[in-house]
């Protein structure tokens, strides 16, 4: 299990935010002034674009306010004059430490520093339930010591990662998609009043219509909803999975995301800390558990997770269950030859290729 700790010293948070700014200024060099809008307000701010022209160009808007250090992630036309809407924000506390900001800096047991998000997202003006946000980012969700408390956070990137800007905007895009998916579930009441410190995704307000009727047209007997409810039941506090340190946790999330893009669609994939990925079709549930090493303890853990959850899901849905253990290499022969024959588990291997991953053994 990995040990994480949130940085709570205000002077250190300010220093790390400066490091973040230096990293982003190397990538975002074209400066302009634009009107920026978010659910609770708008203001005129400095915006740095990745290029001087184009459409949907990535941009970053930093600012320092009395009680927070602001980092807005946006996209738009650098040559336009229309208002820009925030895709996501990573604000950090200033002056006095607090947990109200969406962003956090986290260290792991190796001394590496990471940028993390507290799961505070909105859909329109409604705050989404953090439990559902964490469910969607389960493969990168951690628990960290946070000034005598324990906080759940989403690891985004190592601060010294050369691909930091790309990781931030990939997170921003995924956050928008997550907000849309959760909004379509139609059972969200605002968890807390949205404000300029909240993570933002924009769009129309999700949740229930006035009068309390859900907008979700799917019946409660929908196996996707049953499966999601099952996963939610097993994804409570204390379910944190270690991946051998923060960098491996981020890598683990990348692998799960790449795997999902190959084997499923947004409409049929289910994610929770109970299992990394479940793909549901009309006849079966396909479970995938990713491990970033093929060490014996990781193999044993993955096998146990799939056996237990597979049987529970089969009992719940009455569907066949197939199981796939995803590893960076084949396990030792004495384990590998029994995985499928005795446990019905197929081994898939992955290797990093450029910015993505190649998988061998996929069905």
């Amino acid at each position: 299990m990995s040990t994480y700790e949130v940085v709570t010293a205000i002077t250190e948070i300010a220093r790390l935010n400066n490091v973040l700014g230096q990293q982003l200024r190397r990538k975002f060099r074209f400066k302009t002034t634009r009107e920026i809008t978010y659910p609770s307000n708008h203001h005129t701010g400095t915006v740095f674009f990745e290029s001087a022209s184009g459409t949907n160009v990535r941009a970053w808007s930093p600012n320092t306010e009395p009680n927070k250090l602001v980092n807005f992630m946006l996209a738009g036309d650098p040559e336009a004059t229309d208002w820009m809407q925030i895709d996501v924000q990573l604000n950090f506390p200033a002056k006095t430490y607090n947990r109200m900001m969406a962003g956090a800096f986290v260290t792991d047991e190796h001394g590496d520093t990471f940028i993390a998000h507290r799961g505070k997202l909105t859909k329109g003006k409604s705050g989404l339930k953090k439990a559902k946000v964490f469910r969607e980012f389960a493969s990168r969700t951690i628990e960290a010591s946070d000034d005598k408390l324990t906080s759940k956070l989403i690891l985004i990137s190592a601060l010294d990662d050369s691909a930091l800007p790309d990781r931030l905007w990939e997170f921003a895009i995924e956050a928008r998609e997550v907000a849309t998916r959760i909004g379509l579930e139609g059972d969200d009441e605002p968890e807390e009043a949205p404000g300029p410190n909240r993570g933002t995704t924009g769009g129309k307000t999700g949740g229930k219509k006035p009068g309390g009727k859900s907008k979700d047209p799917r019946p409660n007997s929908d196996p996707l909803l049953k499966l999601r409810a099952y996963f939610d039941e097993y994804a409570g506090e204390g379910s944190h999975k270690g991946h051998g340190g923060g960098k491996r946790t981020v890598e683990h999330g990348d692998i799960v995301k790449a795997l999902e893009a190959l084997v499923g669609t947004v409409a049929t994939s289910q994610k929770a800390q109970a299992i990394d990925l479940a793909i549901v079709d009309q006849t079966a549930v396909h479970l995938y558990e990713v491990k970033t090493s093929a060490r014996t303890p990781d193999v044993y853990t993955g096998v146990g997770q799939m056996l237990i959850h597979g049987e529970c899901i089969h009992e719940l849905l009455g569907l066949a269950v197939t199981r796939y253990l995803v590893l960076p290499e084949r396990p030792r022969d004495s384990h590998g030859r029994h995985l499928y024959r005795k446990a019905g588990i197929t081994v898939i291997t992955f290797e990093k290729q450029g910015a993505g991953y190649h998988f061998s053994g996929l069905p």
Side-chain angles (χ1 to χ4, degrees), residues 52-98:
S53 61
T55 59
N56 203 34
V57 177
R58 301 188 302 184
W60 163 61
S61 179
N63 194 19
T64 299
E65 298 183 13
N67 64 338
K68 64 178 179 286
L69 306 171
V70 176
N71 294 277
F72 290 156
M73 314 301 168
L74 321 91
D77 182 348
E79 299 177 304
T81 59
D82 57 321
W83 288 18
M84 297 187 70
Q85 189 170 16
I86 299 167
D87 286 332
V88 77
Q89 54 185 298
L90 284 167
N91 300 336
F92 303 97
K95 195 172 182 179
T96 303
Y97 180 71
N98 67 77

Side-chain angles (χ1 to χ4, degrees), residues 263 286 288 322 324 346 348 360-363:
V263 300
H286 310 279
Y288 296 83
T322 61
Y324 302 93
T346 299
I348 295 170
S360 299
L362 285 171

Side-chain angles (χ1 to χ4, degrees), residues 5-13 16 93 95-99 105-106 118 145-148:
E5 185 171 354
V6 178
V7 177
T8 60
I10 289 299
T11 54
E12 180 64 3
I13 292 172
L16 294 173
K95 195 172 182 179
T96 303
Y97 180 71
N98 67 77
R99 300 177 188 84
F105 293 108
V106 178
R118 293 186 179 272
S145 174
D146 188 357
D147 192 22
K148 300 180 181 179

